[in-house]
Amino acid sequence: MKLIINKIGKIKSAQIDVNGLTVIAGKNDTGKSTVGKLLYAIFRALDMGESFFNEMKKQILISNDILPLCRKYIGLSEGNKELRERIAWLLDENSSLLTRKLNRLENLSLPEIYELIQNIQKDMPSDAIDSIATIYKNISNIQHASLEEKMSYALERTLAVMFNGIVLNSKYHEDGKIVVNQNEKCVLEAIISEKYINTKYDSFLRKSLVGNIVYLESPFILENIRTRLKPHWEELKAVLFEKALPQDWQQESVNEELLNFIQTEIFGKAHISFEPRIKDFVYQVDGNATKLNMSNVACGVKSFAILFLLLKLNILKKDVLLAIDEPENHLHPEWQIKYAQLICLLVQKGFSIVLTSHSPTFIQALAHYINKGKLDEKVSFYLASQVELENYSEIQNVTKDLEKIYANLIAPTDRLYEFTEEEE
């Protein structure tokens, strides 16, 4: 798969191969993290585009049209008593864990909503005819939307959430473009402006891509935070906790060799488990120690614990793309090297990984284990660097010249040594 990016966020241009291991290095604020966010938004839109469109449009329809009509109907002095009682039941609200008010109307399918409107229409006064006609039209628009319309909507919404509403460059406001190719054929093309997104989409070629994505942005996802999270955090936490049932926890993982590596090289005598009593993951430094909530565990341990859980619960599989943003941030150099070794073991087993980094230690370790495992054909290195005098960066393939990465990342340390020598 090839991801082509033009004028999205900080990235002016990039052509990135996603196959095996893809490493994007560079300084801060050069657009590296944009790649992971884009991949997550694209794969979620590709995976859920149609159902997402239907559900979101239905929620808008209910909120803007159906709820006001139902409330108006049960407020009539006359009407079908049985229908009024049913509508009152449908309007009953309960607060969700995220404090949003939910009602039973949201459980109705579009055909069921259509039937409800037909029954309401029989008793409504003539001045409501126009509003009811608009509702029928809105239902029809949802049912007959094209696949491209649904994909455009899903991609627009997921991009907006991932980038907090600002997808294009914050200074130039130029139209952007995203293209996903597989074997030189276009799976998805999206033209993005500040007002709209237009997409071309090939549903048949979509099947040739990896199935889904896991996007790891921070080890803090393992902390049992009760407030509203980022969408990719919410999704991953939901999957982790859903899978952490006794029967799933005890079942044999297909990733035993990888799990043994983490257990031996990182955890040692310690182990991680799921505690049903508190419905949370816990960590013990040995069998006699107190079980620690993940909030009390070091960030570095959490970094490995996430991968351990994804592998143990068979969430991370070979048909799932793993995207990781700067994993070295919470790791001592010794564990950066261990993390690089684990990444290369994953690639050796056939996993697909995209990661960003600004650590020369981590990247040198990756290069070492890539060479040791003879994985060169499965790996691509890229360098994100600022375009001179512009608020843009470019991402270039430097697989055959890693010295460009080292020069970019080690230069500040070299200058520090020069300053020290001058002072002496």
Side-chain angles (χ1 to χ4, degrees):
M1 166 188 158
K2 184 183 289 291
L3 174 64
I4 301 171
I5 307 168
N6 290 107
K7 298 179 179 178
I8 302 294
K10 290 282 293 188
I11 301 176
K12 186 174 186 178
S13 64
Q15 294 192 28
I16 301 170
D17 290 317
V18 180
N19 182 29
L21 175 60
T22 302
V23 181
I24 304 169
K27 298 177 182 178
N28 291 327
D29 196 31
T30 53
K32 301 189 305 297
S33 298
T34 297
V35 177
K37 292 177 181 178
L38 278 178
L39 285 169
Y40 178 82
I42 289 168
F43 272 90
R44 297 313 290 148
L46 288 172
D47 189 51
M48 300 175 61
E50 190 167 6
S51 60
F52 179 85
F53 173 90
N54 292 340
E55 188 58 33
M56 292 301 296
K57 287 293 187 180
K58 188 182 79 171
Q59 286 186 18
I60 294 170
L61 175 74
I62 289 170
S63 177
N64 294 347
D65 299 322
I66 310 302
L67 272 173
L69 182 66
C70 287
R71 287 169 179 155
K72 186 174 182 178
Y73 182 79
I74 61 176
L76 295 176
S77 56
E78 297 181 359
N80 184 313
K81 181 181 177 182
E82 185 178 331
L83 179 59
R84 287 163 64 138
E85 289 177 350
R86 180 168 182 256
I87 290 174
W89 179 79
L90 287 171
L91 294 182
D92 184 45
E93 294 181 335
N94 292 298
S95 294
S96 74
L97 291 175
L98 301 178
T99 71
R100 189 170 77 85
K101 292 289 185 179
L102 301 174
N103 56 66
R104 295 185 178 97
L105 272 174
E106 297 187 51
N107 295 325
L108 298 181
S109 65
L110 284 177
E112 288 171 329
I113 291 173
Y114 192 93
E115 182 182 358
L116 177 66
I117 302 307
Q118 285 184 314
N119 291 330
I120 290 175
Q121 185 179 3
K122 297 173 183 177
D123 294 326
M124 291 298 288
S126 57
D127 61 1
I129 293 176
D130 288 343
S131 64
I132 291 175
T134 300
I135 293 174
Y136 284 138
K137 182 179 179 181
N138 290 339
I139 293 174
S140 178
N141 288 341
I142 297 173
Q143 292 175 321
H144 296 101
S146 68
L147 192 57
E148 283 74 17
E149 287 178 282
K150 294 180 177 182
M151 192 57 60
S152 293
Y153 181 82
L155 187 58
E156 180 180 7
R157 293 298 294 267
T158 50
L159 285 172
V161 172
M162 292 302 293
F163 289 89
N164 293 314
I166 303 175
V167 182
L168 303 176
N169 188 276
S170 60
K171 180 177 180 179
Y172 302 121
H173 310 287
E174 299 173 291
D175 288 359
K177 185 177 181 180
I178 306 167
V179 179
V180 176
N181 287 340
Q182 180 73 333
N183 299 324
E184 299 184 0
K185 294 182 180 179
C186 182
V187 179
L188 175 74
E189 178 183 286
I191 306 297
I192 302 169
S193 78
E194 291 188 324
K195 296 181 179 179
Y196 64 87
I197 292 182
N198 282 339
T199 63
K200 296 178 182 177
Y201 170 60
D202 191 316
S203 58
F204 178 77
L205 285 175
R206 161 67 181 104
K207 299 173 185 177
S208 65
L209 300 178
V210 293
N212 211 326
I213 185 169
V214 169
Y215 177 36
L216 300 181
E217 188 182 31
S218 166
F220 294 109
I221 189 175
L222 273 187
E223 297 189 5
N224 203 354
I225 303 169
R226 300 295 180 185
T227 55
R228 188 169 181 83
L229 304 173
K230 299 178 181 181
H232 49 296
W233 285 33
E234 287 182 352
E235 178 190 39
L236 188 51
K237 281 179 72 72
V239 173
L240 282 171
F241 281 87
E242 177 185 312
K243 288 280 188 180
L245 300 172
Q247 59 268 32
D248 291 320
W249 191 259
Q250 297 301 326
Q251 74 176 359
E252 186 176 347
S253 172
V254 297
N255 302 302
E256 286 301 322
E257 183 179 345
L258 296 164
L259 292 171
N260 288 336
F261 174 86
I262 300 174
Q263 185 65 57
T264 303
E265 299 293 330
I266 304 300
F267 294 163
K269 293 181 180 180
H271 65 274
I272 186 171
S273 60
F274 186 76
E275 182 62 56
R277 182 179 57 82
I278 61 173
K279 297 180 180 179
D280 202 359
F281 296 104
V282 293
Y283 183 82
Q284 282 181 286
V285 295
D286 60 42
N288 298 318
T290 301
K291 293 179 179 179
L292 297 174
N293 183 284
M294 295 307 296
S295 299
N296 295 330
V297 176
C299 293
V301 173
K302 283 197 278 275
S303 296
F304 281 95
I306 293 173
L307 290 178
F308 183 86
L309 292 172
L310 291 172
L311 291 165
K312 180 170 181 57
L313 298 171
N314 296 314
I315 297 168
L316 186 56
K317 298 175 286 189
K318 294 178 184 178
D319 63 347
V320 173
L321 176 63
L322 174 61
I324 317 174
D325 191 35
E326 298 179 351
E328 74 274 5
N329 279 348
H330 301 279
L331 300 175
H332 181 278
E334 182 179 355
W335 276 14
Q336 288 186 32
I337 294 169
K338 293 294 184 184
Y339 202 100
Q341 187 178 359
L342 176 58
I343 290 296
C344 290
L345 285 174
L346 284 163
V347 174
Q348 205 166 34
K349 295 292 183 182
F351 289 83
S352 296
I353 302 170
V354 175
L355 62 82
T356 65
S357 175
H358 47 41
S359 166
T361 300
F362 182 58
I363 291 171
Q364 285 176 321
L366 284 172
H368 168 73
Y369 287 112
I370 287 164
N371 182 60
K372 186 176 180 181
K374 299 180 180 179
L375 301 172
D376 301 72
E377 293 184 0
K378 296 183 176 182
V379 181
S380 300
F381 283 90
Y382 294 84
L383 177 62
S385 52
Q386 187 82 21
V387 177
E388 189 174 359
L389 301 179
E390 292 186 19
N391 188 43
Y392 271 128
S393 296
E394 291 183 337
I395 298 180
Q396 298 177 324
N397 191 321
V398 294
T399 305
K400 296 182 179 179
D401 189 4
L402 296 188
E403 288 302 320
K404 289 183 177 179
I405 291 180
Y406 301 139
N408 180 278
L409 300 183
I410 298 175
T413 306
D414 291 340
R415 284 198 295 271
L416 178 61
Y417 288 141
E418 290 173 6
F419 296 152
T420 303
E421 290 174 359
E422 289 173 3
E423 290 175 359
E424 292 176 353

